Amino acid sequence: MTNRYIIALDQGTTSSRAVLFNSQGKIECITQKEFTQHFPRSGWVEHDPMEIWESQWEVFEQLVNEQKINPSDIAAIGITNQRETTVVWDKNSGEPVFNAIVWQDRRTAAICESLKSNGLEEYIRRNTGLVIDAYFSGTKIKWILDNIKGARQIAEKGELLFGTIDTWLIWKLTNGKLHATDYSNASRTLLYNIRKLKWDSKLLEALDVPAAMLPEVRDSSGNFGELEYKGIKIPITGVAGDQQAALFGQTCFEEGMAKNTYGTGCFLLMNTGEYPVLSQSGLVTTIAWGIDGHIQYALEGSVFIAGAAIQWLRDGLKIIDSAPASEELARQAGGAEGVYVVPAFVGLGAPYWDMYARGAIFGLTRDTGKEHIVKATLESLAFQTKDVLDAMQKDSGIELKKLQVDGGASANDFLMQFQADIIGAGVERPEVIESTALGAAYLAGMAIGLWEKEQIAGNRKIDKTFLPLIDETKREALYAGWQKAVKRSMSWIEA
């Protein structure tokens, strides 16, 4: 296996990437392509499923061609994906009936309110581990069936398929031979019973979703068909939603281990072992992964807008030229405090779950400059992480001694130092911050016998540890200001 590779297809919210790993689990190359974000109305976010597929295939071929890889040297493919984003397509033509409705999309808030008024909150929390929110896939499927002409009739004939992005890619890669997902992605749909490990008939009925639309659910490390490429059959053997893949890539294999990924959103996950832990603090319970028929569960806090807020500084406000430029500009603000950015552009996730909150900037004065807004935006990622971390420690009864981090924004030293300051604990950044792709590669490699868990854990190396530099008094004052700002941004839109 020394000259063979694992390719991780990392399909994210703003870009598709292919990451090449050698048999030692080291990254040799990354190719990436951004794709179009569609905002047809306020609070609506869509992607073109065909553009997602085409961009993902393009970076795969670019990687293979640039690195001059013989397809027979690709031992396996792993897939990791933006979760909850919903695609519905015709099983005969393979054509999507509508754009993909993205996890950030808020259009199904009214459907969520209907579920609540029908008394389903506790049932959903207990059996899916989730809260009723427009974030999850189930209400998006219902919206498509209810609003796209003829869709429901075709679905009831068994001719429409639903999938999260992993399922869509598996379908395309296998040329329509396999309609499947893994446990981690299934657990994000609002339709999957994480206790009984099957699609929940009561929730399918409540949302009027035909069972025939749903994919088969499989282990995260195992058989997901084959890609036939240039006459070579390459097995697809690892699949996990991006945050669960990152938990695996960070080698959080034991109960109580946690990581935070700073991507488009911010996602803090803690491994809770073989049993689901129900949150009393606004977190969700999710399946981390399934391997050899054994399920691991996790507590998760989802922050909807993290790296996307930095993207907003670049593309919306145009006050930075690139995401890395935010670090230097934030440092120029020095010790200036009092400005808070609440990036609730699509509502607030854990632990608030307010679909009607909206973004706001507080504390502006005449001498506020762009550097203060950039600094406050970066700090908002750390404040939101603290919100979730506090809830997680309360639910689990475990006090975290350190936070393991990954994702693009974890490369920002200013942010990581402020994160350590505001949580009052060490922040540990590994050498490989591509934990999401790494997790998908590990799951794929394990399925073909390339790696064992113990070997994977031994591979992890630390790049830098950030320790808190401020005292408790200052920490509490800064956080009190944040909580005040959040409170004033809530319920901005009338339900």
Side-chain angles (χ1 to χ4, degrees), residues 80-304:
T80 184
N81 55 286
Q82 53 165 317
R83 306 170 304 169
E84 299 93 18
T85 295
T86 297
V87 185
V88 174
W89 68 96
D90 187 300
K91 70 185 295 185
N92 300 311
S93 69
E95 290 294 316
V97 300
F98 189 66
N99 272 347
I101 301 181
V102 180
W103 57 273
Q104 299 163 319
D105 190 280
R106 301 278 93 190
R107 78 185 66 188
T108 63
I111 300 173
C112 294
E113 295 300 342
S114 176
L115 291 175
K116 290 177 184 177
S117 65
N118 288 334
L120 284 167
E121 272 186 286
E122 184 56 29
Y123 182 88
I124 285 173
R125 192 177 77 91
R126 177 158 294 280
N127 291 285
T128 71
L130 308 178
V131 298
I132 296 176
D133 190 85
Y135 177 27
F136 304 108
S137 311
T139 60
K140 303 181 197 305
I141 305 171
K142 176 175 172 56
W143 189 94
I144 290 173
L145 295 181
D146 287 347
N147 288 275
I148 305 308
K149 187 176 180 180
R152 184 166 293 286
Q153 289 78 8
I154 301 170
E156 286 169 354
K157 290 179 188 174
E159 295 178 0
L160 287 191
L161 301 179
F162 151 72
T164 42
I165 296 298
D166 59 306
T167 302
W168 172 239
L169 292 180
I170 291 164
W171 172 268
K172 297 295 286 184
L173 289 165
T174 62
N175 201 25
K177 292 176 183 173
L178 189 63
H179 181 223
T181 189
D182 89 301
Y183 286 112
S184 71
N185 279 294
S187 73
R188 312 300 297 187
T189 60
L190 209 72
L191 298 172
Y192 193 71
N193 192 308
I194 64 171
R195 297 175 179 276
K196 296 179 180 177
L197 301 181
K198 64 180 185 180
W199 298 110
D200 192 293
S201 57
K202 181 172 180 175
L203 296 176
L204 293 180
E205 184 179 346
L207 285 165
D208 204 7
V209 173
M213 295 181 70
L214 304 174
E216 178 189 349
V217 183
R218 298 187 173 191
D219 273 349
S220 310
S221 181
N223 175 27
F224 287 91
E226 296 173 321
L227 162 66
E228 189 164 333
Y229 183 63
K230 296 184 177 178
I232 302 296
K233 291 182 177 179
I234 305 169
I236 304 164
T237 54
V239 174
D242 51 11
Q243 303 315 317
Q244 290 96 327
L247 190 71
F248 200 84
Q250 283 273 32
T251 68
C252 294
F253 300 148
E254 304 300 323
E255 185 176 340
M257 297 180 75
K259 69 87 201 176
N260 193 30
T261 296
Y262 302 80
T264 300
C266 219
F267 300 88
L268 186 58
L269 271 74
M270 176 187 283
N271 186 329
T272 60
E274 296 179 4
Y275 302 99
V277 174
L278 288 183
S279 173
Q280 305 299 320
S281 309
L283 305 181
V284 300
T285 305
T286 196
I287 294 178
W289 49 74
I291 299 176
D292 295 330
H294 296 288
I295 302 297
Q296 292 278 111
Y297 293 90
L299 274 174
E300 175 176 336
S302 307
V303 172
F304 295 152

Side-chain angles (χ1 to χ4, degrees), residues 211-424:
M213 295 181 70
L214 304 174
E216 178 189 349
V217 183
R218 298 187 173 191
D219 273 349
S220 310
S221 181
N223 175 27
F224 287 91
E226 296 173 321
L227 162 66
E228 189 164 333
Y229 183 63
K230 296 184 177 178
I232 302 296
K233 291 182 177 179
I234 305 169
I236 304 164
T237 54
V239 174
D242 51 11
Q243 303 315 317
Q244 290 96 327
L247 190 71
F248 200 84
Q250 283 273 32
T251 68
C252 294
F253 300 148
E254 304 300 323
E255 185 176 340
M257 297 180 75
K259 69 87 201 176
N260 193 30
T261 296
Y262 302 80
T264 300
C266 219
F267 300 88
L268 186 58
L269 271 74
M270 176 187 283
N271 186 329
T272 60
E274 296 179 4
Y275 302 99
V277 174
L278 288 183
S279 173
Q280 305 299 320
S281 309
L283 305 181
V284 300
T285 305
T286 196
I287 294 178
W289 49 74
I291 299 176
D292 295 330
H294 296 288
I295 302 297
Q296 292 278 111
Y297 293 90
L299 274 174
E300 175 176 336
S302 307
V303 172
F304 295 152
I305 298 293
I310 301 171
Q311 194 177 39
W312 166 71
L313 294 176
R314 184 191 70 186
D315 301 338
L317 297 188
K318 303 187 187 304
I319 58 176
I320 56 172
D321 295 325
S322 65
S326 63
E327 180 172 348
E328 178 56 34
L329 205 54
R331 293 191 189 282
Q332 290 176 20
E337 291 153 7
V339 176
Y340 290 87
V341 171
V342 182
F345 304 145
V346 293
L348 288 168
Y352 306 105
W353 295 107
D354 184 347
M355 293 184 287
Y356 307 105
R358 287 297 180 267
I361 305 176
F362 296 97
L364 297 176
T365 57
R366 182 65 182 81
D367 61 347
T368 300
K370 63 181 180 180
E371 65 273 18
H372 302 99
I373 293 172
V374 170
K375 177 173 179 278
T377 301
L378 287 177
E379 289 173 345
S380 75
L381 276 61
F383 283 128
Q384 291 177 102
T385 298
K386 177 173 170 57
D387 288 338
V388 174
L389 188 58
D390 286 355
M392 193 165 281
Q393 292 180 130
K394 182 179 177 183
D395 279 337
S396 67
I398 298 169
E399 183 181 351
L400 283 183
K401 303 299 183 188
K402 64 181 179 183
L403 180 63
Q404 296 176 194
V405 300
D406 57 62
S410 70
N412 188 311
D413 282 4
F414 174 88
L415 172 59
M416 292 300 99
Q417 182 57 57
F418 187 75
Q419 185 69 84
D421 287 343
I422 207 65
I423 66 173

